[in-house]
Amino acid sequence: MLDNPLLQPWLTPFETPPFDQIKPEHFIPAFEQAFADHVAEIEAIAADPAAPDFDNTITALERSGRLLNRVAAVFYDLVSAHSSPALLEIDSDVSLRMARHWNPILMNAALFARIDQLYQRRAELGLTPEQARLLERTYTRFHRAGAGLDQSAKDRLAAINERLAQLGTSFSHHLLGDEQDWFMEIGPDDCDGLPDSFVAAAKAAAEERGLAGKAVVTLSRSSVEPFLKSSTRRDLREKVYKAFIARGDNGNGNDNNAIITEILQLREETAKLLGYPTFAAYRLDDSMAKTPEAVRDLLQRVWRPARARALADRDALQALIAEEGGNFELAPWDWRYYAEKLRQRRADFDDAAIKPYLTLDNMIAAAFDTAQRLFGLSFTLRSDVPVWHPDVRVWEVKDRTGAHKALFYGDYFARPSKRSGAWMTSLRDQQKLDGAIAPLIINVCNFAKGTGGAPALLSPDDARTLFHEFGHALHGLLSDVTYPSLSGTAVFTDFVELPSQLYEHWQEQPQVLQRFARHHQSGEPLPDDLLRRFLAARQFNQGFATVEFVASALIDLEFHTQPAAAIGEIASFEQRELAKIGMPQEIALRHRPTQFGHIFSGDHYASGYYSYMWSEVMDADAFGAFEEAGNIFDAKVAQRLHDHIYAAGGARDPAEAYVAFRGRDPAPDALLRRRGLLDQAEAA
């Protein structure tokens, strides 16, 4: 297609995607051209008559597939952040085509022979440290993809990969379908306890669905959790809660149970073809943790004190119910509601008190200001860059010299066309292989939009999420590597959460909140007394939060260590495993299996959901470096953080990178101390 914008030079500012010109029908022709170009590039590398060297093999691989990367980045951004029936239909086709494209490349015997020759001679090639790392990662990628298998095994693995691509796409489409199909209309009599900001957001959500003048609760976490925390209507809390945990598990056309069973069987077969006893053993072999045993040890170390704290909190919540005259047992849809009451009593604090001070724009400004004080970055809003939805904003990022560094896209509001959750991705990654390429980095969230001219207000959890995702964004924005395969977040899964979780610490610092937490109507700063009570309440309900997370991580691990044939019916397996660890029945998994997109929409976090907690050991310890310096913006510590963590990408081993920053390995108790569970652990 001569007029296909995906196949033409982008004459936009900073050569950004012309979203205003791109239509669904452009993607298949663009992918077909990109696949053909990439195949030709790979064939030329594999058939090169010259002896393999770093430049004609590894560097050539780095230069290949540029059109495919460009088209895929735009496509997957739209599928996740602004989908449509047409795009979802194309996604089902593209996922299969993508698997069929990559399988023969990653299993190309001639290409792998060249890579293997270089890898075996790596010590004598005179490589730079970054080149040595790239060679090691390239060899590992091809080896783990089955390049060294015999042809029969390669054929079977290719078929498995194609099927897994289809299943992962179907899983995510089913989840989105259940989330889009369900909503609960609330009238004036149903709003007892709900903050005005929630009701305004519920009206905006209704308008998004063509129900102007009404108000709805949706299955977005940003709608469900505030409702469960605030609504006095126990019957409505139960209805919302049950709909939320039933996503993908309703026995309808969006049911994910059979998909999970097949995914687990195919992953197990993959692991055995590649010489591993379980899929978890296969995945974790290429991680910081290395083994399922190491992961289980960490999770169990945290599980015991977290469960003890949660059980104590459960008893306190039940006592509160009795005190109020309730004659019912605490249920999962009650926990957040009564926990909020208990927090108000114990810490004299509730989220509703601070939310008017946490406007979205001020929290964005706080995140930007923190990046400026730590790393010298500045952010200028641009109105001339095409975007995929009117809500999306774009900032030009400059370094401390005033030179262009990157563009940052922020897409913050929930809408029916967007999958739930929050994430960072990129439209273009930083590299310096053939001149400096500036990155295009995206943050996507699902916050409730303000209405009637009022600004969007964030809960403390929302504000933390914003900083978390911006920490990921900084990993991409500050990347300073030569090779695209090592850029930004191209690191081990159990290291990638360190930059994001570490950045969360600044959001809750008094000097940040005192400056940026201002009342959305009066502009008054956060009162000192409210700030003090907020900081004191941070560790409240950590037993609940830790239990719901660790239980999900343990379920993920068990799914991928136990024989697939022994798992059986998914809900029964879930209940068996929860009973085995003594899961309090009043707390649900943060992600029930049928909605666990982290591990079933694709395999990036499969056997890897623990990564958030593995990284938290490091992030809790890492922030200590600033505390020990007596300044949370200490220039020397910030420079080490920049050089060894945020700018380094995947150019060095993550354990070495952490030690280079901190001067030692992380202290394992830092996580428990941060969550306020150290005393419980010591008692155990």
Side-chain angles (χ1 to χ4, degrees), residues 11 29 116 148 176 216 242 304 391 526 611 666:
L11 305 178
D116 186 49
L176 180 62
V216 299
K242 287 183 173 179
R304 287 186 290 270
D391 287 342
L526 187 67
S611 299

Side-chain angles (χ1 to χ4, degrees), residues 188-199:
D189 295 338
D190 305 323
C191 294
D192 286 351
L194 300 177
D196 291 343
S197 59
F198 181 90
V199 175

Side-chain angles (χ1 to χ4, degrees), residues 162-190:
E162 290 180 14
R163 182 59 180 157
L164 284 172
Q166 292 175 303
L167 292 169
T169 301
S170 295
F171 185 98
S172 61
H173 289 187
H174 287 176
L175 187 54
L176 180 62
D178 265 1
E179 289 171 351
Q180 288 178 331
D181 290 347
W182 191 95
F183 60 85
M184 183 183 75
E185 187 176 337
I186 52 175
D189 295 338
D190 305 323

